[in-house]
Amino acid sequence: MPVSRSLPAPGHGGSWRPLVRLIAGFLTAAAAVAAAFLVHGLVPALPAMTVAVVLGVLAANLPGTGAWTAGRARPGLDFAGKHLMRGGIVLLGLKVSVMDVLSLGWPALVLIVGVVAASFGGTYAISRLFRLPPVTSLLVATGFSICGASAIGAMAAVRRIRHADTVLPVALVTLCGTLAIGVLPLLSHPLGLSAAVFGAWTGASVHDVGQVVATAQTAGTAALAIAVVVKLTRVLLLAPVAALAGAHHRRGARPPAATDGSTSTRPPLVPLFVLGFVAMVALRSTGWLAAGWLEAGAAVQDILLGAALFGLGSAVRIRTLLHTGAQALLAALASWLLIAVLGLAAAFVIAG
């Protein structure tokens, strides 16, 4: 007799539920990104990426939307926070030209590398001094010293850190970067900074690229030009730092034994998205891409990072943050002050 196969009952949607929940999260993130760009268009001083994080935090904590972001939309938002972040990091490479970086001159490049190293080590030490966990300290140090949330996402990937552990560092780096937008321009006149020095200071000490642009443009085009080049030099360091972190993690990670006596594979030395970032830097540096392609790449990158940052922000619960994040906030503010001082000293040398 032929064997009959049971078919799902009509209307049975169990197999579709994961996809539906992913789509729900994607649509929520897309709406938030559109709103973030709208706010940025109305108030250019507010970077769209910063607005995306803030909207995520609001969505997570308002009575009408908190249940949605924690429930049906959560899988899609988590996917965005992890995987779309990596896509955004790859396309971030299209903003970095090696020729622009080399135009600063070798003394300035060595100094910027020194500032990043000192910022990284100092921020990690401060975080541990305030008794933050090693994983949180590592992510905060990476985000503060290199390029904000993008660097946090890259470090979390190469060290295989849980997605949930990136939420607090992203919130802190966004908060301090937003603080810089308001504070640094107020200090420019009392400190007697020229436009070039102020731009170099902004590029050397502010975390996210969008935050750098929002801060530096208050002093004019000359400040903005040098700020972007200095900042992108820091961004370029994302690849070697991620590679070193991956190599260290790979060396320390012992692959678990399989049932047949063999061992499973170790973490990759350099993740594919980091190699993609390097490839995009190389492609940009060739000069082959027309301005239209670069603008399109920048637009897609902003959309991907905006969705990722909204997803991360939507996992922040203010009540929990107030109970557990007081020490983290103090550590972040102390680190922000350290990097501001280091960046200012370097700015006088670079553009003074």
Side-chain angles (χ1 to χ4, degrees), residues 53-75:
V53 177
V54 172
L55 289 177
V57 174
L58 290 176
N61 292 276
L62 291 177
T65 56
W68 172 260
T69 59
R72 180 167 296 183
R74 191 71 254 158

Side-chain angles (χ1 to χ4, degrees), residues 5 22 40 56 59 70 74-75 87 90 99 116 142 144 154 195 207 228 232 259 261 267 276 278 287 305 307 333 351:
R5 300 192 180 189
L22 279 176
H40 173 64
R74 191 71 254 158
V90 171
M99 302 309 297
V116 169
T142 305
F144 273 55
H207 313 317
V228 170
L232 292 180
T259 55
V278 174
L305 283 185
L333 292 174

Side-chain angles (χ1 to χ4, degrees), residues 42-270:
L42 296 174
V43 187
L46 293 177
M49 301 302 102
T50 299
V51 176
V53 177
V54 172
L55 289 177
V57 174
L58 290 176
N61 292 276
L62 291 177
T65 56
W68 172 260
T69 59
R72 180 167 296 183
R74 191 71 254 158
L77 295 176
D78 284 341
F79 185 95
K82 181 177 181 180
H83 297 287
L84 298 189
M85 172 70 77
R86 298 182 185 185
I89 293 170
V90 171
L91 293 178
L92 181 62
L94 288 177
K95 294 185 176 179
V96 185
S97 170
V98 173
M99 302 309 297
D100 290 340
V101 170
L102 292 178
S103 68
L104 291 173
W106 287 108
L109 294 179
V110 172
L111 183 59
I112 293 171
V113 172
V115 168
V116 169
S119 300
F120 186 97
T123 300
Y124 185 85
I126 289 172
S127 300
R128 296 296 290 142
L129 182 65
F130 280 87
R131 298 183 179 180
L132 299 187
V135 166
T136 302
S137 300
L138 175 64
L139 294 179
V140 169
T142 305
F144 273 55
S145 62
I146 302 177
C147 57
S150 300
I152 291 172
M155 181 61 75
V158 299
R159 295 301 297 261
R160 295 193 172 182
I161 296 172
R162 294 185 312 157
H163 172 69
D165 292 331
T166 67
V167 172
L168 178 60
V170 167
L172 293 174
V173 79
T174 302
L175 173 64
C176 290
T178 305
L179 184 64
I181 297 173
V183 173
L184 264 60
L186 295 178
L187 296 177
S188 177
H189 183 69
L191 294 175
L193 305 181
S194 66
V197 172
F198 178 75
W201 183 28
T202 301
S205 59
V206 180
H207 313 317
D208 181 75
V209 175
Q211 294 164 346
V212 167
V213 172
T215 306
Q217 68 185 1
T218 61
T221 56
L224 180 59
I226 190 170
V228 170
V229 176
V230 172
K231 177 58 188 177
L232 292 180
T233 303
R234 290 169 61 199
V235 172
L236 189 60
L237 295 175
L238 176 62
V241 169
L244 288 173
H248 180 269
H249 181 60
R250 187 174 186 270
R251 184 176 60 184
R254 294 183 177 180
T259 55
D260 60 357
S262 62
T263 57
S264 61
T265 58
R266 289 186 175 186
L269 181 59
V270 182

